[in-house]
Amino acid sequence: MTIKNKLRAGFSFLFLLALVCCGLSIYFLTRLSVDARDILKDNYKSVQYTKNIGASIDASAGLLNSRQTELIEENLVKQEHNVTEHGEQQLTDSLRVKFDALKALNGDEAKAVQLHTDIKRLLYGIMQLNMNAIEHKYATAKKTADDATLLVAFVGSFLFLVAFSFTVNFPGYIANPIKELTERIKEVSKRNYHQQLNFKSNDEFGELGQAFNTMTKKLDEYENSNLASILFEKKRIETIINSMHDAILGLDEKSFIIFANEVACTLIGMPEESLTGRYAPDISIENDLLRNLLVNDQIKMKIYADNRESYYTKEVLSVTSKDKVIGSVIILKNITEFQQLDDAKTNFIATISHELKTPISSIKMSLKLLEDSRIGEVNAEQKQLLENIDEDARRLLQITGELLDMAQVETGKLQLNFGSTHPKNIVDYAVKALKTTADQKQVSINVHCDENLPDVQADLDKTTWVLINLLSNAIKYSHEKSVVDLIVKIYKADEIEFSVQDHGRGIDQKYLSRIFERYFKIPGATAEQTGTGLGLAIAKDFIEAQAGKIGVESEIGEGSRFYFTLKRIGN
Ligand code: ADP
């Protein structure tokens, strides 16, 4: 039965009981009223009539006067119409006979006294009969009242008990399941899905319990499958991270270590259990590598671990979620193999370029001798061939020079001869060196260099080399008869900036970040333009070795501006 129907049935039952109680009360009250009316009508009036007749008889003390006769007649007639008890008719009839006889007497006093006595006896009889009836009827009425009281009290008590039990139990009947449901829902909200409701009833609560149990079962299944897949994925990611040759260290946003793979543990020299969950700066106090990883911006690192020296590059990735940094991952990439190959390549280049320099110089020397007329005249065609060989030998010498410089930088053998020099000196050397090249292309170099500029702290040769390189590129990539601006100015109070601005073809934005990489050449250069792709890379090394900065700004079709800075001396 549904709760609605149960409530209807319960209230109807209570209503019915109240109705029964009321009905019984009305029934018994009616019966009592009927009994009382009967007593009044049947007996009390008869007693009253006999009392009136007796009073008139007593007042006469012999023969009746007309007033007394009239009174007795009136009451007797009423009594004759109110005969209700067994034997009363007979006594009333006798009373009529005696009264008629008394009325018919003609001065016989003795007979009158006798009739008075008879009448009084009869009146007493009638009165007694009615008094007995009153007593009997009163007893009956009392019994009815007692029965009614008992029955109404019983039904009332039963009704009270039912109503009381209804009042006590009904709120619980509704509230208890709701309370239990609330408790279970609270548990579910704490992700405790092992919750079951035991509502056995066949009503809405039973249905609710079943629906709830199904829901928690499904949630539990979902949670378990989810958890299992999350754990599986976690294990898989851990395995992948552990099987990597790179060292990987994960930190949360407060710099607590979340994970460290096997390579990271080996390099740091601590087991994973001693790392995870700990505050990284605390460990770094005693651990040099961790300190370097956290504090140094250095990208390339030489690490001694596992009884050998290895090279690593450091990469720090910050982990963000919804624009909020939630941690970082430090990756140490093992580049030992590449480093060894790079070293071998550098050594090879250094050896070859060194070995090539002597024969090329001797070719140049021989060419010089050939040009001398004392050795013999050469015709115009031979002269042109000799010039070509000379140009090629110059280029070869330049290339081997650049390769040697680069090898020097890479092997860390770069030696700087620092000295104080005026920027004008550097500019003059460079412009002079490139004068012929610029003239050949009819490119004019506009120099803007203030004589009042302070001296700079620099290696004159290397810095001039850099400026020559930038100017030579600017001329190379300029259109004929155009202008190259060479500007030297004070930059950020303590630095001097040298910049070379051309109005050539410019550089595509996508190549700008790679322009200073070794051997990088922008595709599409003509045969005359193309070089080794080493010039800018070496320039960068030279400038950075002097604590300066080098950079480029360029707009395709507009030209390029290459610049570098050097520390000034004094203020
Ligand atoms: P390269 O010896 O090839 O000139 P660089 O390192 O000097 O080597 O330059 C690298 C590349 O940068 C060049 O191949 C060229 O494509 C580009 N580049 C350098 N300077 C300029 C410039 N002023 N305008 C346009 N491209 C330039």
Side-chain angles (χ1 to χ4, degrees):
M1 210 201 290
T2 62
I3 295 177
K4 204 157 86 180
N5 288 341
K6 276 183 186 171
L7 281 174
R8 272 190 193 142
F11 283 119
S12 304
F13 182 62
L14 278 177
F15 183 69
L16 197 74
L17 281 177
L19 215 62
V20 167
C21 203
C22 285
L24 278 173
S25 305
I26 290 167
Y27 168 72
F28 283 113
L29 280 173
T30 314
R31 264 185 64 182
L32 279 173
S33 131
V34 167
D35 284 355
R37 197 191 63 217
D38 284 355
I39 291 171
L40 197 71
K41 187 175 141 273
D42 296 354
N43 307 109
Y44 178 72
K45 282 186 177 162
S46 292
V47 172
Q48 202 66 42
Y49 301 151
T50 50
K51 230 171 108 186
N52 291 344
I53 296 171
S56 296
I57 294 291
D58 286 345
S60 71
L63 291 171
L64 298 170
N65 60 24
S66 59
R67 169 85 190 121
Q68 287 161 345
T69 308
E70 203 180 310
L71 257 173
I72 292 170
E73 181 60 39
E74 188 189 329
N75 281 289
L76 188 55
V77 170
K78 282 182 183 169
Q79 169 57 27
E80 281 168 344
H81 286 98
N82 193 36
V83 172
T84 52
E85 303 306 317
H86 185 66
E88 194 179 359
Q89 185 66 52
Q90 210 182 339
L91 289 171
T92 308
D93 288 348
S94 302
L95 187 63
R96 163 63 65 189
V97 173
K98 295 291 178 191
F99 175 59
D100 287 347
L102 188 62
K103 276 196 297 186
L105 277 184
N106 252 339
D108 188 347
E109 289 277 343
K111 191 89 170 145
V113 171
Q114 182 58 43
L115 280 171
H116 269 225
T117 313
D118 290 346
I119 286 171
K120 277 188 185 169
R121 190 178 40 79
L122 285 169
L123 283 173
Y124 179 75
I126 293 169
M127 198 181 284
Q128 195 61 45
L129 210 61
N130 277 292
M131 286 303 283
N132 287 345
I134 284 174
E135 250 174 57
H136 176 71
K137 282 182 184 173
Y138 171 72
T140 311
K142 192 171 178 303
K143 191 171 178 314
T144 307
D146 288 348
D147 287 354
T149 311
L150 205 69
L151 201 64
V152 170
F154 176 73
V155 174
S157 305
F158 182 64
L159 184 64
F160 172 75
L161 282 177
V162 172
F164 182 73
S165 120
F166 192 74
T167 317
V168 169
N169 293 320
F170 184 69
Y173 178 75
I174 299 286
N176 289 350
I178 292 176
K179 196 174 158 203
E180 197 177 340
L181 180 67
T182 313
E183 292 298 319
R184 303 279 179 218
I185 289 174
K186 278 185 192 161
E187 287 299 314
V188 169
S189 69
K190 290 179 204 155
R191 306 175 77 91
N192 183 4
Y193 299 128
H194 296 281
Q195 303 297 320
Q196 292 285 293
L197 282 176
N198 274 328
F199 295 160
K200 294 258 161 35
S201 52
N202 247 345
D203 52 19
E204 286 91 333
F205 281 128
E207 276 176 34
L208 179 74
Q210 270 176 10
F212 179 84
N213 293 346
T214 315
M215 181 190 80
T216 50
K217 212 170 134 209
K218 291 272 173 225
L219 278 173
D220 196 33
E221 280 170 15
Y222 178 72
E223 173 85 351
N224 279 338
S225 66
N226 236 6
L227 195 70
S229 66
I230 288 169
L231 284 175
F232 178 74
E233 285 306 322
K234 184 175 176 267
K235 194 93 214 135
R236 188 178 13 212
I237 290 167
E238 275 173 5
T239 314
I240 292 170
I241 290 175
N242 269 332
S243 59
M244 285 174 89
H245 296 299
D246 302 332
I248 302 174
L249 191 73
L251 304 173
D252 69 9
E253 73 280 15
K254 289 177 186 149
S255 294
F256 281 86
I257 298 174
I258 312 169
F259 62 83
N261 72 348
E262 280 166 21
V263 185
C265 292
T266 314
L267 292 183
I268 295 171
M270 288 172 82
E272 198 191 346
E273 312 79 77
S274 315
L275 288 172
T276 45
R278 286 189 62 193
Y279 185 50
D282 277 354
I283 307 175
S284 73
I285 296 171
E286 286 160 12
N287 192 292
D288 293 342
L289 176 62
L290 200 58
R291 189 165 51 248
N292 276 340
L293 288 181
L294 295 179
V295 180
N296 281 354
D297 286 338
Q298 191 187 351
I299 289 177
K300 201 163 156 188
M301 292 180 152
K302 198 200 282 185
I303 300 172
Y304 188 81
D306 237 6
N307 293 327
R308 63 195 151 103
E309 239 176 21
S310 308
Y311 290 87
Y312 288 87
T313 50
K314 181 180 91 171
E315 196 180 346
V316 182
L317 308 173
S318 62
V319 186
T320 51
S321 167
K322 291 179 191 151
D323 294 337
K324 201 177 152 220
V325 177
I326 55 165
S328 59
V329 178
I330 302 175
I331 302 169
L332 281 180
K333 214 174 177 53
N334 193 337
I335 52 154
T336 315
E337 237 173 87
F338 301 107
Q339 183 64 38
Q340 284 162 351
L341 287 173
D342 202 42
D343 287 349
K345 173 216 75 184
T346 309
N347 286 334
F348 176 74
I349 288 173
T351 317
I352 290 290
S353 32
H354 185 76
E355 292 302 320
L356 284 178
K357 254 190 151 177
T358 324
I360 296 169
S361 302
S362 101
I363 291 172
K364 283 210 84 163
M365 185 73 81
S366 306
L367 282 170
K368 272 267 170 294
L369 291 173
L370 275 175
E371 279 171 16
D372 195 332
S373 54
R374 284 172 294 176
I375 290 181
E377 283 297 326
V378 285
N379 61 29
E381 226 169 299
Q382 287 166 332
K383 198 169 182 216
Q384 183 58 49
L385 282 171
L386 287 176
E387 272 171 19
N388 290 350
I389 295 171
D390 188 45
E391 174 56 23
D392 287 343
R394 188 196 61 76
R395 284 185 65 192
L396 263 178
L397 211 58
Q398 188 193 341
I399 290 170
T400 45
E402 281 182 2
L403 286 172
L404 252 182
D405 285 338
M406 187 210 64
Q408 245 189 2
V409 175
E410 287 189 353
T411 49
K413 287 177 192 151
L414 180 65
Q415 299 239 321
L416 291 170
N417 291 319
F418 273 111
S420 166
T421 179
H422 194 272
K424 192 89 175 70
N425 292 337
I426 304 171
V427 170
D428 286 346
Y429 278 126
V431 173
K432 213 161 141 194
L434 284 163
K435 178 136 187 23
T436 330
T437 325
D439 288 347
Q440 275 169 4
K441 215 175 168 185
Q442 295 179 1
V443 171
S444 54
I445 303 171
N446 287 351
V447 180
H448 310 269
C449 178
D450 199 337
E451 299 277 345
N452 299 328
L453 282 172
D455 282 0
V456 287
Q457 179 77 4
D459 178 317
L460 185 61
D461 290 342
K462 302 237 165 15
T463 313
T464 312
W465 187 96
V466 172
L467 194 57
I468 290 175
N469 215 280
L470 297 186
L471 276 173
S472 127
N473 277 347
I475 296 166
K476 219 193 303 183
Y477 298 104
S478 278
H479 307 297
E480 275 189 13
K481 298 182 186 161
S482 69
V483 176
V484 169
D485 294 302
L486 170 53
I487 305 164
V488 189
K489 60 176 184 188
I490 294 182
Y491 175 75
K492 276 193 188 167
D494 65 337
E495 286 173 13
I496 302 289
E497 185 193 77
F498 296 73
S499 66
V500 177
Q501 166 86 58
D502 67 56
H503 303 279
R505 64 172 193 188
I507 302 166
D508 198 332
Q509 295 292 313
K510 65 182 175 197
Y511 298 125
L512 281 180
S513 60
R514 302 194 55 200
I515 206 107
F516 293 99
E517 283 177 16
R518 280 171 178 46
Y519 308 108
F520 180 77
K521 288 184 271 183
I522 292 174
T526 60
E528 303 132 36
Q529 287 172 336
T530 194
T532 55
L534 281 171
L536 289 177
I538 295 168
K540 187 169 186 275
D541 287 330
F542 282 177
I543 294 299
E544 285 179 357
Q546 298 178 70
K549 279 185 209 83
I550 188 163
V552 59
E553 289 159 3
S554 188
E555 204 63 53
I556 203 95
E558 298 280 314
S560 314
R561 187 179 89 91
F562 281 86
Y563 59 87
F564 64 87
T565 61
L566 288 175
K567 292 270 171 227
R568 61 179 279 187
I569 292 174
N571 274 316

